[in-house]
């Protein structure tokens, strides 16, 4: 399993793992892939700096990357208090009433219920500045091309830039803007995603930019067979996110995620929904009683980014503390149907590589 991507980063396998967990990212890197740490959860640059210090020390000198969130249209800026003042009272009332109806307990007075400010352009820029002081090899932007000065800043440090694309036209624009790697993310993917399925999107993107830059396949990848299919369609590697949510290492970073993992392990590929209720932009989530409530008659429309996340941030923390898998609020792709046990990253990597070899062997017999 050796491609152009392996040569570009000096990795053993063209498997890129996007994750909010530094323990997962480091484990994937150590196992021969490229771990990419999601930065959106870091409201303070100092917290990210400390985490990247840990990454530098725990990746055996091998490459890793970071993922930031920079919308092409700069969202409203301000302090958390200033932004929260723009949230309509009826939205707050709906969330409070829904939590009561779902039986989600109140938080204690000492609980930190601040929202995630990583959606803000200024915070994302601080993530870039901090990251470039560390040993990162890749900066990816979850919402398309970063601003041109950010791309130039990364290139000046010898760091590659990747951007996610949900349409072939977006991919062409990313490359014209100076992006080095395009991640073709299909409809099946978890988190922010478009409306075109991977089987259709990937060859379209490869055809339009594959001669210029490596293309990674994202959405619906959770086995070596699917990696082989992605490479057959012209990808130089895969970008996997959801698959790492049910790893033992994930709990090392997110120690209150046991209930979430329980819900994911029990879910099928039919148990997701695409909605704006998580961040204000379309994102695929685990379908639960919480997501169902937002689809009922009379439910308000989700607010734009970053207001929606500020609205639901306390709800997310209360839900996590409730230990009720039927109300979990979590982005995840349709590949959740294959995530049937909590396992170490090393086991998953080994299995992906083995399954890929078996799939290639089967294909060779068809010639």
């Amino acid at each position: 399993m050796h491609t152009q991507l392996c040569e570009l980063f000096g990795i053993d396998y063209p498997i890129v793992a996007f994750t909010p967990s530094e323990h997962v990212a480091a484990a994937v890197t150590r196992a021969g892939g490229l771990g990419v740490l999601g930065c959106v959860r870091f409201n303070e640059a100092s917290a990210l700096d400390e985490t990247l210090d840990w990454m530098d020390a725990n990746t055996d000198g091998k490459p890793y990357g970071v993922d930031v969130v920079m919308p092409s249209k700069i969202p409203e800026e301000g302090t958390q208090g200033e932004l929260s003042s723009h949230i309509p009272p009826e939205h707050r009332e709906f969330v409070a009433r829904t939590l009561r109806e779902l039986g989600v307990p109140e938080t204690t007075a000492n609980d930190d219920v601040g929202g995630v400010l990583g959606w803000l352009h200024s915070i994302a820029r601080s993530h870039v500045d901090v990251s470039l002081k560390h040993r990162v090899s890749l900066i990816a932007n979850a919402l398309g091309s970063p601003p041109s000065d950010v791309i130039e800043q990364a290139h000046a440090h010898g760091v590659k830039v990747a951007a996610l694309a949900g349409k072939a036209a977006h991919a062409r624009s990313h490359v014209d803007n100076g992006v080095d790697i395009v991640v073709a993310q299909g409809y099946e993917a978890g988190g922010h995603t478009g409306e075109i399925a991977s089987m259709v999107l990937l060859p379209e993107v490869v055809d339009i930019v594959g001669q210029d830059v490596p293309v990674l396949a994202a959405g619906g990848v959770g086995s070596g067979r699917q990696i082989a299919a992605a490479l057959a369609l012209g990808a130089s590697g895969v970008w996997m996110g959801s698959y790492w949510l049910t790893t033992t290492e994930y709990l090392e970073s997110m120690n209150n995620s046991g209930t979430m993992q329980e819900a994911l392990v029990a879910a099928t590929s039919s148990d997701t929904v695409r909605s704006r209720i998580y961040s204000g932009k379309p994102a695929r989530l685990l379908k639960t009683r919480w997501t169902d409530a937002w689809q009922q008659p009379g439910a308000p429309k989700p607010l734009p980014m970053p207001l929606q996340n500020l609205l639901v941030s306390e709800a997310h923390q209360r839900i996590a503390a409730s230990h009720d898998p039927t109300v979990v609020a979590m982005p995840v792709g349709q590949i959740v149907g294959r995530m049937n046990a909590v396992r170490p990253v090393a086991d998953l990597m080994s299995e992906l590589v083995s399954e890929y070899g078996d799939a290639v062997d089967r294909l060779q017999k068809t010639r």
Side-chain angles (χ1 to χ4, degrees):
M1 195 195 297
H2 195 84
T3 70
Q4 175 188 9
L5 191 77
C6 299
E7 297 293 333
L8 188 63
F9 290 107
I11 56 180
D12 296 329
Y13 310 116
I15 298 172
V16 182
F18 163 69
T19 173
S21 164
E22 64 271 23
H23 291 88
V24 173
V28 171
T29 284
R30 292 195 303 268
L34 183 70
V36 174
L37 178 68
C39 296
V40 74
R41 69 181 175 92
F42 296 96
N43 287 354
E44 300 294 335
S46 58
L48 175 60
D49 192 34
E50 182 178 342
T51 299
L52 294 183
D53 280 340
W54 185 92
M55 289 286 294
D56 290 340
N58 288 275
T59 45
D60 295 344
K62 296 180 179 181
Y64 70 90
V66 295
D67 178 274
V68 299
V69 177
M70 283 187 165
S72 56
K73 181 180 179 182
I74 298 176
E76 186 176 3
E77 295 282 88
T79 66
Q80 182 170 319
E82 291 169 343
L83 292 171
S84 294
S85 68
H86 294 292
I87 297 175
E90 56 269 26
H91 280 71
R92 294 188 185 279
E93 291 167 3
F94 170 79
V95 170
R97 182 174 68 254
T98 299
L99 291 175
R100 287 196 301 271
E101 293 173 351
L102 295 177
V104 177
E106 296 277 355
T107 53
T108 66
N110 293 326
D111 286 339
D112 177 13
V113 293
V116 174
L117 299 180
W119 310 110
L120 293 179
H121 191 81
S122 58
I123 301 297
R125 279 185 174 270
S126 75
H127 292 161
V128 172
D129 293 340
V130 167
S131 297
L132 292 175
K133 297 176 182 178
H134 291 268
R135 227 178 11 84
V136 300
S137 298
L138 175 71
I139 293 178
N141 185 25
L143 297 179
S145 302
S148 58
D149 66 296
V150 172
I151 296 175
E152 292 169 3
Q153 183 184 7
H155 287 168
H157 285 78
V159 174
K160 301 297 182 184
V161 178
L164 274 67
K167 294 182 179 179
H170 295 167
R172 180 72 267 167
S173 176
H174 296 342
V175 175
D176 291 344
N177 290 337
V179 164
D180 306 292
I181 297 168
V182 170
V183 181
Q185 178 157 289
Y187 178 74
E188 307 96 317
H192 298 115
T193 188
E195 298 179 341
I196 304 174
S198 296
M199 194 76 171
V200 175
L201 177 66
L202 180 55
E204 286 185 350
V205 171
V206 169
D207 287 349
I208 199 168
V209 301
Q211 295 297 314
D212 303 316
V213 300
V215 175
L216 305 185
V221 181
S223 71
R225 286 178 289 168
Q226 288 158 326
I227 295 175
L231 299 192
L233 291 172
S236 294
V238 293
W239 173 280
M240 301 170 63
S242 299
Y243 204 57
W244 315 105
L245 293 173
T246 51
T247 57
T248 53
E249 288 86 352
Y250 191 87
L251 279 175
E252 295 182 50
S253 304
M254 315 292 182
N255 54 20
N256 65 340
S257 296
T259 302
M260 178 271 290
Q261 289 188 333
E262 179 185 348
L264 296 181
V265 167
T268 72
S269 56
S270 298
D271 295 325
T272 69
V273 62
R274 189 167 172 269
S275 171
R276 294 178 181 268
I277 69 170
Y278 194 81
S279 70
K281 287 186 174 290
R284 185 171 298 284
L285 313 171
L286 184 68
K287 188 177 185 297
T288 64
R289 293 194 295 142
W290 168 250
T291 60
D292 288 346
W294 284 86
Q295 295 181 318
Q296 298 304 310
K301 292 184 178 180
L303 300 171
M305 179 186 285
L307 298 182
Q308 180 65 21
N309 182 265
L310 291 174
L311 169 67
V312 299
S313 60
E314 179 180 355
H316 288 171
Q317 294 194 35
R318 286 175 58 182
I319 285 170
S322 73
H323 305 296
D324 181 355
T326 71
V327 295
V328 163
M330 189 67 197
V332 71
Q334 292 177 333
I335 200 64
V336 69
R338 293 189 61 85
M339 296 156 50
N340 300 319
V342 177
R343 302 169 59 194
V345 165
D347 288 359
L348 293 182
M349 286 289 290
S350 176
E351 184 174 86
L352 291 173
V353 173
S354 176
E355 289 178 346
Y356 170 84
D358 292 342
V360 171
D361 288 344
R362 284 195 301 274
L363 288 173
Q364 289 176 339
K365 294 176 182 178
T366 67
R367 292 179 62 86

